[in-house]
Amino acid sequence: MSEGMHIFETVTRELWVMHNEGYLRDLGQVSGNYYWAAREIEQLQKELAVALSKEDFEKLTQLQDYFINQETIAGEIFYNQGFADGMSLIMQSAMWEAVRR
């Protein structure tokens, strides 16, 4: 077996292990945690709307919007870099045997 195919098969096997049934159950737990965090945020927003002046509450809401936007952009960067790294690994694995000759 060529070294390139060995690397590719190793990566494929690790990806499969990472997405097995146990890991998917963990994703269910993460989804539940996300749901409850969203409910807690809504409750805090209601409490702050009552406790703060309208102007202060609007500033806090704007801060939250900016933070969400920043985190969304960071997630996109992370995802795109991971995709680029994955494609680079695939290309390097496919070309490994040709380079070694």
Side-chain angles (χ1 to χ4, degrees):
M1 176 184 306
S2 73
E3 183 68 22
M5 284 306 292
H6 177 71
I7 292 170
F8 184 75
E9 288 179 354
T10 300
V11 170
T12 302
R13 184 173 45 253
E14 292 300 316
L15 286 171
W16 182 82
V17 168
M18 189 170 48
H19 291 89
N20 69 16
E21 184 178 328
Y23 183 75
L24 293 177
R25 276 195 299 268
D26 291 343
L27 288 178
Q29 179 66 37
V30 169
S31 176
N33 291 345
Y34 184 89
Y35 171 82
W36 288 112
R39 299 293 72 81
E40 290 174 10
I41 289 169
E42 288 176 8
Q43 181 60 37
L44 283 173
Q45 286 174 331
K46 289 177 185 175
E47 292 174 20
L48 289 169
V50 171
L52 298 175
S53 69
K54 183 179 178 186
E55 294 80 21
D56 288 341
F57 183 73
E58 287 174 1
K59 286 180 185 179
L60 187 60
T61 301
Q62 187 177 24
L63 175 66
Q64 180 185 17
D65 291 344
Y66 287 145
F67 178 76
I68 290 169
N69 188 40
Q70 183 183 33
E71 289 301 302
T72 300
I73 292 168
E76 289 174 2
I77 292 168
F78 182 76
Y79 176 84
N80 289 336
Q81 185 61 54
F83 181 79
D85 290 347
M87 293 305 295
S88 177
L89 177 64
I90 290 170
M91 295 303 294
Q92 289 174 11
S93 296
M95 293 176 14
W96 182 256
E97 182 63 26
V99 171
R100 289 182 49 120
R101 288 184 189 177

